[in-house]
Structures are given as C-alpha cells and as structure tokens.
Amino acid sequence: MSDPTPEPPVRPGSRGPYAKTAARRAAIVDAAREVFAASGYRAGSIQAVADACGISQSAVLHHFPAKEDLLLAVLADRDARGDDVQAGHDLFGGTLAQARHNESVPGIIELYTTLCGEATGAGHPAHDYFATRFRRTREHYADEFRSLAAAGRLREGVDPDLAGASLVALWDGAQLQWLMEPGAVNVTAQLRHFLSLCVLPA
C-alpha cells in the first residue's frame, strides 16, 4: 500500500521525484536526531521517528531499511553541521568558534552526549564511529600543540599528546555540565582558560 502522507515541501530550486525523496530523507533524519537525542538509540524507536515526522513506519523503512542505517545518517548529518567551522582559524580561534557553533545548533550537543555515552559498549552500532572520532580528534589537537611547540609558543612542561587528550576530555565534560545547567557553565570560557594555560600569547 502506498504511503498516504503528503510529501514535505520541496526546497526552492529543487524539482522532481529526486528532490521530494531528498526532502523526505532530510525530514526523517531531522526527526531521528530529535528522538535519539531525547531517548538514545536503543530506546528511540522507528515508530517514534515516524510519529515525529508525521509519516508511517513503513515510509521510514523505505528510506532507511534498518535502524542502524538511520543512526549512521544522523551521525553523518551531525558531522556535516559542524564541518569547516574551524577552517581558517588557529587553535584558539577554531576551538572557540566550534564551541559557540555547537551551542547554536538545536539538539546537536544533546545528540552527541546521549549517543556517545550509550555507545561505550563494543556492540553498539555507533561504537566504532565514536572510538574513531575520539582518536582522530586527540591526534588533531596533539598535532596543533606540536605545531605551537615548534613555533616556540607552547608553555614549558606542556606535553602535546597529553594536552590534546585533555582538551577533548575537558570539552566533552564541559558540554555535559552545560546540558545539565546551561546558566552555570560557560563552555567557551573553560576552553579559553585551558588553552591559555598551555599556549603563550602570540
């Protein structure tokens, strides 16, 4: 039986079935992001995504045959929303710009924190995604600190690898606290303070 739910509006400049399919997939991913951020992957059901999107469960499964496919699409969308925020900035500017950006995108920190905590078990479908992301992020910031050391701007006694891992740990912990009590925690200020303890002024 065909899905009786009307297709979502097509974006200006888009035409034809492909545009309608793309719009429907984007709407499903948006709904799944909200469901997974609120309930986690395991508790967030396909039916809940369908209800949030105003379509049938079979319509969701037509675009994403398995729940895991939908999770991976949500994670890819999350990455795309943060792409290039740090481009063109130094370590200070890029880190603070990314932190401010994260706070400005509805649900992105909730999604990241909820799924990351849930994915600690090796059997979770997002486990490899987060393990790889943590490793890549630690290495990225360690390289940034090494570049600053080569330029004579890293404070004495600061180990680039430890500083990179510490920055990632601080950032995630600060964001978690911000979710719990936004008015009491300033993520950007905490990151700026940590970086100032590691890096000499230009």
Side-chain angles (χ1 to χ4, degrees), residues 47-151:
Q47 186 61 59
V49 174
D51 291 344
C53 212
I55 59 177
S56 66
Q57 182 172 313
S58 61
V60 174
L61 293 173
H62 170 73
H63 293 282
F64 300 95
K67 187 179 175 184
E68 183 175 341
D69 297 326
L70 183 53
L71 173 64
L72 295 176
V74 167
L75 292 173
D77 178 71
R78 180 212 173 276
D79 286 345
R81 288 166 179 262
D83 279 354
D84 299 327
V85 172
Q86 299 187 52
H89 293 283
D90 60 10
L91 177 61
F92 261 91
T95 299
L96 302 185
Q98 184 69 60
R100 287 190 291 266
H101 172 79
N102 290 352
E103 292 183 11
S104 73
V105 180
I108 196 170
I109 296 178
E110 291 91 336
L111 175 73
Y112 173 85
T113 303
T114 300
L115 293 181
C116 183
E118 192 180 61
T120 53
H124 194 282
H127 177 83
D128 288 345
Y129 166 86
F130 281 105
T132 299
R133 187 180 187 282
F134 273 125
R135 183 172 59 253
R136 187 176 63 243
T137 306
R138 288 194 305 269
E139 291 171 352
H140 167 73
Y141 285 116
D143 286 343
E144 290 279 347
F145 283 115
R146 271 190 283 274
S147 295
L148 288 166

